[in-house]
Amino acid sequence: MEQVSPGRWRLQLEAEPWRSGVSLQSAGTIRVRGDLAGTSTRLRPAEIELHWSNASLADLFRLFRGQDYGVRGSFALDATAKSGIAKEDQSGDWTFSVQGRATQIHRWDLTERSDNPRLNASLKGRWNAGTGNFLVEQILLEGPKSNVRGRLDRVGGNASSTELRLDSMGVQAADLLAWYRAFHPDVAEGVTAAQYFTGGMILSGWPPAVESAAISSSGGVVMVPGFAEPIQIGPVSGGRERSSLVVGPVRVSLGAESRDVLASKKHRAAAAPNNAVDLTLVQDLNTQVGGISIEGNFLKVEDFLKLSAVFGHQLNHGWELNGQVRALTKWEWKKPFSGNWNGRISFNKANLTVAGLNQPVKIAESQLDFDVGRRIARVISVEAFGGMWTGNIEEATATEGENAPRWIFHLSGDQLDAAELDRWVGPRARPGWLQRLLPSLLGGSAPSPPASELVRRVNAEGELEVGQLTIEKLRLERVRAKGSLHNLQLEVQDANAQWAGGNVRARIAANFLPRPAYNISAELEDVNLSQLPGTGRIAERLTGIAAGTLHLKIEGVGREELLGKLEGRGNFHLTKVELRGWDVNASVADGAAHTGVSRWAAGTGSFRLKDHSIFLDDVKLDGGNQLTLVNGTLSFGQNADLAVETASTQKTKGLKPNAPGTARVLKISGPLDGLKVSVEKPGARQPAD
């Protein structure tokens, strides 16, 4: 600072901006030059010039706001301020001119591009510190192809008297696309937009409130690589209506002529073309509640998914969908940039292909509902896993502390076959199957996490109904199960089904870490012996009713390992047992096979499962005057090694098998479809392992 004459000073300053507690990397240099009077005349007359260069946008925000907003680019500023120079200057008035330039504007994690947006801002006006009056007579914002002009007036330093007028707005869609590309990754190369928007707006008070607004456009086109026809954008019209800001409806169509959608909603819906969507924005200016409604119909939803990916929003991670989709949805918010989805998306005659499934899911009809952001999948008619399915899968209301969504399901299918299921998933032949499947279902994009971590994310509970469940030779009817899967633990609290003419009720607990382990408890009643699987031709001659309990423990993955480590035990009660074609008691008594019928009024016994075999322990069949005892082994390969004994009921009360006083022992061995029978004298019997 240099005094050039009495009461007159000359400035020539240079500084690097800084802010306490904030780390700056490229804040640039500020240079100030000028002449001004002393304090006795309140610095007037004065003429000051300021030049700020080589600054980054990131440091500009750090300086003025104390934080990084993730915006990158370069910034420069030139400003002048004058007071008491011109004859028309009133006492205390300062005239100013500001020109700011920002270039290479982009998001912090994206690289610079030649088409990154740039923005020039120019302000000219007058300010009086004494009265508090502030007038910006000229506001000009310029982009490569767009500009906005206006003025700002504030009287007496009163915030309520502030008025901002944007009288002339001309915005090209090409500039909007450049801004979008600068802040959204993965936007495809070659996308171009051609549309011109005009409008005006008046804002008053502070915070600013919209007094009036209007925007319009005659329509435009967006060229997208990979599509033979452009995206047509219909006419745009909007503005303030009473206490709301309303824009639209605007029709966006793919491969069809854009139509005027300013007609009534009823006629618009009736005439809606295929592969098009109507967009409407409504914002309540008093409550700040607003939303964007979306009404659309796509005959080929795969085109919509492809378009979404072109603009950097890949919706389908690990899955593909084709077919017809209708949408009637709305993104609603109570405060800007924080909202939820509401509405419905309907699927018709669609095919869903998911990574990890060998066949596509055929969707005859289904719906995806949004209820304040909560997702509900309504399965109306879907063919998958060899059956037709209906029901709901809905996202439960989130509670405090939940990191992943919790799902509630109610599904019903007409049939489910384990062999068909294996054809769909085939995990044994395709390592990493779970890693490919679950990211698709859970909304992820990378199959890198281990399968255990993916299953851990599944938090679901509900009910499953299957008309017919087939697991090799085991066939269950009207299966109903209620259970949950959470944190790698499966719990089926209640499962019931019809099996072999009777009923089965079971409870299942499974833990999938570190090795899958299953614990199953079941109760059986009214089971028809003639309908038992795996009994070969014996089932044609055997009748009777069975009831009992069963407890199983299984470990491992895959059929062979599961069967190898299968262990369990159970007991049963029999009534009205009849074996046609063979008189067991007569055969034991005579030591030779006798045809006829064997009948037992009741029976009891227990069994154990181990080493691929079923061990029968002291099965007692009460035939009235004769008691029949059965011990031995049945292998999973349908081979038998049984010992059958009979004795008089009166003489053998409390008698153990093979004890003195019993009759001969009938030995049964070989495959069930071709049993070999021999008679031996009783001897000391070793208990089965």
Side-chain angles (χ1 to χ4, degrees), residues 96 123-126 134-139 150-153:
F96 61 86
L123 307 176
K124 293 182 180 181
R126 189 179 298 271
F134 185 77
L135 172 64
V136 183
E137 299 171 338
Q138 177 181 312
I139 299 175
R151 61 178 284 146
L152 174 67
D153 195 355

Side-chain angles (χ1 to χ4, degrees), residues 357-401:
L357 297 181
N358 301 327
Q359 301 182 43
V361 177
K362 297 181 180 180
I363 304 174
E365 184 180 3
S366 284
Q367 297 169 348
L368 179 60
D369 291 353
F370 296 92
D371 182 9
V372 194
R374 191 169 60 94
R375 292 164 288 181
I376 305 173
R378 304 191 186 279
V379 182
I380 300 175
S381 179
V382 173
E383 182 179 351
F385 308 111
M388 295 297 299
W389 296 87
T390 61
N392 294 334
I393 304 173
E394 60 182 279
E395 185 178 7
T397 303
T399 58
E400 186 176 354

Side-chain angles (χ1 to χ4, degrees), residues 408-489:
I408 300 175
F409 61 89
H410 300 272
L411 293 174
S412 177
D414 60 346
Q415 60 181 344
L416 181 60
D417 192 323
E420 183 69 22
L421 185 63
D422 187 70
R423 283 191 286 271
W424 273 73
V425 296
R428 297 190 301 276
R430 283 163 285 280
W433 162 79
L434 201 57
Q435 284 93 328
R436 298 195 305 275
L437 174 64
L438 285 182
S440 308
L441 303 181
L442 299 176
S445 58
S448 55
S452 59
E453 178 58 30
L454 294 171
V455 178
R456 190 188 300 277
R457 299 180 192 175
V458 179
N459 186 1
E461 61 180 79
E463 295 183 355
L464 180 67
E465 297 182 12
V466 180
Q468 184 180 94
L469 173 62
T470 304
I471 306 175
E472 295 190 355
K473 295 185 178 181
L474 179 65
R475 178 172 295 181
L476 302 173
E477 306 283 344
R478 298 184 182 179
V479 179
R480 176 176 295 186
K482 182 178 181 181
S484 62
L485 176 60
H486 174 66
N487 197 26
L488 293 173
Q489 293 183 344

Side-chain angles (χ1 to χ4, degrees), residues 40-105:
S40 60
T41 59
R42 298 185 179 181
L43 308 180
R44 303 173 71 246
E47 185 172 1
I48 302 172
E49 296 180 358
L50 180 147
H51 177 68
W52 187 358
S53 61
N54 301 323
S56 69
L57 286 175
D59 282 342
L60 179 69
F61 285 114
R62 293 189 187 106
L63 277 170
F64 288 96
R65 300 296 298 174
Q67 58 181 306
D68 186 356
Y69 288 93
V71 180
R72 297 295 182 264
S74 59
F75 171 77
L77 178 71
D78 289 293
T80 62
K82 299 178 182 180
S83 180
I85 302 297
K87 293 181 179 181
E88 63 271 15
D89 287 350
Q90 299 182 8
S91 177
D93 273 3
W94 287 79
T95 60
F96 61 86
S97 174
V98 179
Q99 291 184 339
R101 299 172 299 280
T103 59
Q104 289 297 323
I105 303 172

Side-chain angles (χ1 to χ4, degrees), residues 658-677:
N658 288 333
T662 61
R664 296 181 177 86
V665 178
L666 191 67
K667 301 291 290 185
I668 303 175
S669 60
L672 295 182
D673 287 340
L675 293 173
K676 296 180 180 180
V677 179

Side-chain angles (χ1 to χ4, degrees), residues 141-476:
L141 301 177
E142 292 180 303
K145 299 180 180 180
S146 307
N147 65 81
V148 177
R149 301 176 184 271
R151 61 178 284 146
L152 174 67
D153 195 355
R154 182 170 180 171
V155 180
N158 187 356
S160 61
S161 67
T162 303
E163 182 182 81
L164 173 63
R165 288 179 173 268
L166 302 177
D167 298 321
S168 175
M169 292 191 298
V171 179
Q172 288 283 0
D175 284 348
L176 297 178
L177 178 61
W179 280 90
Y180 179 85
R181 190 192 295 274
F183 289 89
H184 289 81
D186 303 323
V187 179
E189 299 292 339
V191 178
T192 62
Q195 187 166 2
Y196 185 66
F197 299 89
T198 61
M201 183 179 297
I202 299 177
L203 305 176
S204 63
W206 191 263
V210 179
E211 288 290 328
S212 65
I215 185 174
S216 64
S217 172
S218 60
V221 296
V222 177
M223 303 298 296
V224 180
F227 286 84
E229 299 184 37
I231 299 174
Q232 300 280 351
I233 302 177
V236 178
S237 177
R240 174 162 179 161
E241 298 180 5
R242 297 181 180 178
S243 62
S244 297
L245 179 66
V246 180
V247 178
V250 180
R251 173 155 295 168
V252 181
S253 59
L254 175 63
E257 288 295 329
S258 179
R259 303 177 60 178
D260 186 0
V261 294
L262 300 181
S264 68
K265 186 175 180 180
K266 178 179 179 181
H267 291 90
R268 187 171 70 249
N274 296 321
N275 295 331
V277 60
D278 289 343
L279 307 176
T280 305
L281 181 146
V282 178
Q283 172 73 26
D284 191 302
L285 300 175
N286 295 328
T287 65
Q288 300 303 309
V289 175
I292 299 176
S293 64
I294 302 173
E295 300 181 42
N297 173 34
F298 282 87
L299 295 179
K300 295 182 177 181
V301 68
E302 58 267 32
D303 289 342
F304 174 78
L305 295 175
K306 185 178 178 180
L307 277 175
S308 179
V310 165
F311 286 95
H313 291 278
Q314 184 78 37
L315 299 178
N316 51 325
H317 296 289
W319 56 269
E320 296 290 341
L321 180 66
N322 60 71
Q324 183 180 11
V325 170
R326 296 179 180 270
L328 182 58
T329 60
K330 190 174 185 179
W331 172 255
E332 297 179 297
W333 57 78
K334 293 185 178 179
K335 58 180 181 179
F337 310 111
S338 178
N340 292 297
W341 284 103
N342 284 289
R344 170 172 292 177
I345 300 176
S346 301
F347 304 88
N348 295 284
K349 298 180 180 179
N351 289 332
L352 174 63
T353 303
V354 181
L357 297 181
N358 301 327
Q359 301 182 43
V361 177
K362 297 181 180 180
I363 304 174
E365 184 180 3
S366 284
Q367 297 169 348
L368 179 60
D369 291 353
F370 296 92
D371 182 9
V372 194
R374 191 169 60 94
R375 292 164 288 181
I376 305 173
R378 304 191 186 279
V379 182
I380 300 175
S381 179
V382 173
E383 182 179 351
F385 308 111
M388 295 297 299
W389 296 87
T390 61
N392 294 334
I393 304 173
E394 60 182 279
E395 185 178 7
T397 303
T399 58
E400 186 176 354
E402 287 186 342
N403 297 324
R406 182 167 57 92
W407 299 91
I408 300 175
F409 61 89
H410 300 272
L411 293 174
S412 177
D414 60 346
Q415 60 181 344
L416 181 60
D417 192 323
E420 183 69 22
L421 185 63
D422 187 70
R423 283 191 286 271
W424 273 73
V425 296
R428 297 190 301 276
R430 283 163 285 280
W433 162 79
L434 201 57
Q435 284 93 328
R436 298 195 305 275
L437 174 64
L438 285 182
S440 308
L441 303 181
L442 299 176
S445 58
S448 55
S452 59
E453 178 58 30
L454 294 171
V455 178
R456 190 188 300 277
R457 299 180 192 175
V458 179
N459 186 1
E461 61 180 79
E463 295 183 355
L464 180 67
E465 297 182 12
V466 180
Q468 184 180 94
L469 173 62
T470 304
I471 306 175
E472 295 190 355
K473 295 185 178 181
L474 179 65
R475 178 172 295 181
L476 302 173

